[in-house]
């Protein structure tokens, strides 16, 4: 089920006492369906309201309410000039609405979401997915691949970077779940004889089985443990990212909020007892944007997964997620 842009979801403070521009996101956002012409990499938000993948993965439900909570947190952010590959962009921000999973038919919701993602990318927008469980990743990737193939662009050298406590390389039983998306991507790419360029930062070794690490090794996945993702490790992570992105045609970045330490991100399906510092994740995103600019690797798609307002405290997870999204586009 699809719900179009709703201006009522975008409410916030207006600083009309200022004698110079002081815009916030809720004052900038526009309806994507009414956008005309190429978007010149303007951010386009798209919600994926789904609990089914988390349910199948035996997690805590509530992620279906994630898109609404994220929009509420984003609405009041200060709108800063954004740049892309060194060029300053116009003040443009769009909302493409929300795809909602109805009942257990997650695959239908993923397909609809993928179609919406493809439309955004074909319009030259920077798709920003608002989850929802991490089953959003298979839908996001599917839409991105479809758009690239439609535009006759390089799919083989596409890179997927996941910031996550979990590798999410589980083997699907009968159907996919929030724990299977990157296995689905790997198997799909293998069918097309494309390499699987996948890296995961923030992995919790105690939350991933031997089978997952064996599969990761078989597919030459680069992963980095949570204990090796501290502020002291930022230079090493910078080198790892440069090596990972060398000669890549584009990047899909997906951020699972359960990678972040539970006191900062309690509102997730699987809270992390240790996890990453929010400051490290924020700086990692800034490093990534700089590396993409330097290597001329376009950031094509971003999404945020596992936002679960049901377990959030003082909206801190949603606020943190909003800050991370802002770092991806500013």
């Amino acid at each position: 089920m699809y719900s179009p842009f709703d201006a009522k979801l975008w409410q916030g403070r207006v600083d009309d006492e200022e004698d110079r521009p002081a815009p916030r996101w809720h004052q900038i956002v526009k309806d994507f369906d009414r956008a005309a012409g190429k978007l010149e990499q303007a951010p386009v938000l798209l919600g994926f309201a789904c609990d089914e993948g988390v349910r199948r993965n035996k997690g805590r439900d509530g992620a279906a309410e994630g898109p609404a909570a994220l929009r509420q947190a984003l609405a009041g952010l200060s709108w800063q000039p954004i740049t892309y590959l060194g060029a300053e962009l116009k003040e443009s921000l769009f909302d493409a609405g929300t795809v909602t999973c109805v009942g257990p038919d997650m695959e239908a919701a993923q397909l609809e979401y993928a179609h919406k993602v493809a439309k955004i990318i074909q319009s030259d927008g920077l798709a920003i997915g608002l989850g929802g469980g991490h089953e959003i990743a298979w839908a996001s990737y599917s839409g991105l691949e479809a758009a690239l193939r439609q535009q006759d662009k390089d799919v083989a050298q596409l890179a997927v970077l996941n910031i996550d406590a979990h590798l999410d390389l589980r083997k699907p039983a009968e159907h996919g779940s929030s724990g299977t998306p990157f296995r689905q991507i790997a198997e799909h790419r293998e069918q097309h004889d494309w390499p699987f360029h996948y890296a995961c930062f923030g992995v919790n070794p105690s939350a991933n089985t031997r089978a997952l690490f064996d599969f990761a090794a078989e597919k030459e996945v680069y992963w980095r443990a949570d204990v090796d993702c501290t502020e002291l490790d930022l230079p090493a992570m910078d080198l790892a990212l440069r090596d990972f992105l060398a000669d890549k045609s584009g990047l899909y970045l997906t951020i699972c909020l359960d990678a972040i330490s539970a006191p900062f991100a309690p509102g997730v399906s699987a809270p992390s007892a240790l996890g990453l510092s929010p400051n490290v994740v924020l700086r990692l995103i800034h490093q990534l944007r700089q590396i993409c600019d330097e290597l001329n690797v376009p950031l094509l798609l971003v999404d945020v997964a596992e936002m679960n307002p049901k377990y959030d405290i003082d909206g801190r997870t949603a606020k943190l997620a909003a800050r991370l999204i802002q770092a991806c586009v500013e």
Side-chain angles (χ1 to χ4, degrees), residues 20 38 145 182 219 227 308 324:
R20 62 193 68 194
K38 292 294 184 180
E145 183 193 303
F182 304 102
K219 294 299 181 181
V227 294
N308 191 329
L324 299 180

Side-chain angles (χ1 to χ4, degrees), residues 126-203:
L126 173 60
I128 307 290
L130 309 177
H134 216 165
E135 63 272 18
I136 192 177
W138 171 238
S140 289
Y141 171 82
S142 299
L144 174 57
E145 183 193 303
L148 293 177
R149 296 182 75 173
Q150 181 69 28
Q151 297 170 333
D152 198 26
K153 293 183 177 180
D154 184 5
V155 178
Q157 291 302 106
L158 181 67
V160 179
L161 175 61
N162 184 20
I163 299 175
D164 199 337
H166 307 94
L167 290 165
D168 285 345
L169 290 169
R170 292 179 184 273
K171 184 178 181 179
E174 292 184 41
H175 304 288
S177 72
S178 63
T180 67
F182 304 102
R183 178 71 166 255
Q184 291 172 274
I185 294 171
E187 293 177 348
H188 173 81
R189 290 181 67 85
E190 184 176 16
Q191 292 171 5
H192 289 81
D193 293 322
W194 295 327
F196 182 45
H197 300 302
Y198 174 53
C200 189
F201 283 64
V203 173

